[in-house]
Amino acid sequence: MSDVVLELRGIHKSYNHGAPNALRVLEDVNVTLHKGQISALVAPSGAGKSTLLHIAGLLDSAAAKKRAGDLLDMVGLGARADHRPSQLSGGEQQRVALCRALANNPSTLLADEPTGNLDEATSNQVFDLILEIARETGLCALIATHNPNLAAKMDRTLRLQGRRLHQE
């Protein structure tokens, strides 16, 4: 049995916003993600990180109330399950987003700048929680980030450059 959980081959993406020339974002992108492997997707803004994550994110949706409660307990927010997003701090909102992403027991976690809007201490706390959950459960993760310090904590780095994906 293979430990491959997601494989993308020959991915191309262009946007044509009414312009005569399409904006090419991705060209012949190939990547294989394995169970338990945590990969950083690093590129500047506008390079196609979110686009690649959206293409890769063909995941089933559905969430059970018990699963949601268990996940909220896991990230320390079980007592705040009835709170509205506006009643939660930025870090708490990111932990809830992590719970939503894990609700269906996916084999792969796709995260687009999960700590981008947080202060450094909260960012590190949320990111460490993501790594802990991924490593404990054997979850494959592809996490887009601008932060080289966070990327360095992951198993490998994938860099989008010139519309192509380079593996380091």
Side-chain angles (χ1 to χ4, degrees):
M1 183 171 160
S2 174
D3 69 344
V4 174
V5 295
L6 180 65
E7 187 170 39
L8 302 173
R9 293 282 168 236
I11 302 299
H12 293 264
K13 180 66 178 178
S14 297
Y15 293 100
N16 184 4
H17 297 289
N21 295 323
L23 174 63
R24 296 183 318 187
V25 179
L26 301 174
E27 286 184 10
D28 198 29
V29 170
N30 299 290
V31 65
T32 302
L33 302 175
H34 298 271
K35 181 179 181 180
Q37 183 179 56
I38 301 170
S39 302
L41 178 58
V42 178
S45 294
K49 296 184 306 293
S50 296
T51 299
L52 185 59
L53 289 176
H54 288 149
I55 291 169
L58 301 175
L59 303 174
D60 293 334
S61 61
K65 192 168 188 170
K66 180 178 181 342
R67 173 79 173 144
D70 291 345
L71 287 167
L72 288 171
D73 287 340
M74 182 187 299
V75 299
L77 293 175
R80 306 216 44 191
D82 293 327
H83 286 73
R84 294 241 181 249
S86 63
Q87 296 172 305
L88 301 174
S89 70
E92 289 170 334
Q93 290 177 21
Q94 287 303 98
R95 287 187 278 164
V96 169
L98 177 59
C99 291
R100 284 194 316 263
L102 297 173
N104 294 318
N105 289 315
S107 58
T108 305
L109 173 66
L110 303 173
D112 192 357
E113 296 285 346
T115 61
N117 294 325
L118 304 176
D119 63 80
E120 186 175 354
T122 305
S123 174
N124 287 330
Q125 178 188 22
V126 169
F127 189 77
D128 289 345
L129 183 61
I130 292 170
L131 291 180
E132 178 185 336
I133 290 171
R135 291 202 166 106
E136 283 182 11
T137 62
L139 187 67
C140 170
L142 180 59
I143 303 169
T145 184
H146 290 103
N147 187 326
N149 295 325
L150 296 182
K153 293 181 178 183
M154 296 185 235
D155 300 332
R156 72 175 180 168
T157 299
L158 308 172
R159 193 170 301 278
L160 268 175
Q161 195 169 34
R163 297 184 298 275
R164 295 191 183 267
L165 190 65
H166 303 275
Q167 302 183 38
E168 299 175 6

